[in-house]
Amino acid sequence: MKLQKALIKQLEKDLQNVKTMDDLVGKDGLIKKLIKHLTERLLEEELTPHLGYEPYQKEAHHGSNSRNGSSSKHLKGEFGRIPIKVPRDRQGEFDPLLVGKH
């Protein structure tokens, strides 16, 4: 997978605002925000094939299962605890591979 040039430029712009190590890896640092965003995005992408339709495509949705908001979870790692939102389905059958249930 290749990163889009616009995304790289935005990251470079955000890195210009980093003045201290705390800005980079601190409580509200850039690294934590990036991990949170990418994890949540990947979880959303995992849910799509499980349900069989893209978000906001009601005409493609024929089954009884659908998106049903999200639940909170914390990732624990090198950069401390990172709160994330894990998407869920109405029937409770979605078991993400990236961040498992429970």
Side-chain angles (χ1 to χ4, degrees):
M1 182 176 128
K2 201 172 189 182
L3 290 176
Q4 296 176 0
K5 288 183 181 182
L7 177 60
I8 293 171
K9 286 185 183 213
Q10 182 61 44
L11 284 171
E12 288 172 347
K13 182 179 175 187
D14 290 343
L15 282 171
Q16 289 175 354
N17 296 327
V18 172
K19 304 295 184 215
T20 66
M21 283 302 287
D22 194 52
D23 292 342
L24 187 62
V25 295
K27 180 181 176 198
D28 295 317
L30 183 62
I31 298 292
K32 275 190 170 182
K33 291 177 184 177
L34 187 59
I35 291 170
K36 175 183 174 61
H37 175 75
L38 290 174
T39 302
E40 290 176 348
R41 180 77 170 111
L42 289 169
L43 288 168
E44 286 290 337
E45 289 299 320
E46 273 191 61
L47 182 59
T48 296
H50 173 75
L51 295 176
Y53 70 97
E54 295 289 329
Y56 311 110
Q57 289 188 335
K58 293 183 183 205
E59 66 276 355
H61 173 53
H62 298 294
S64 60
N65 202 2
S66 61
R67 287 169 170 75
N68 190 29
S70 61
S71 56
S72 298
K73 194 170 200 170
H74 285 86
L75 296 178
K76 296 178 189 173
E78 287 181 50
F79 299 106
R81 290 171 48 113
I82 301 173
I84 62 167
K85 299 285 184 189
V86 179
R88 60 182 182 220
D89 62 331
R90 290 204 180 275
Q91 294 177 353
E93 297 171 348
F94 177 56
D95 189 12
L97 298 174
L98 184 63
V99 180
K101 283 185 176 180
H102 312 290

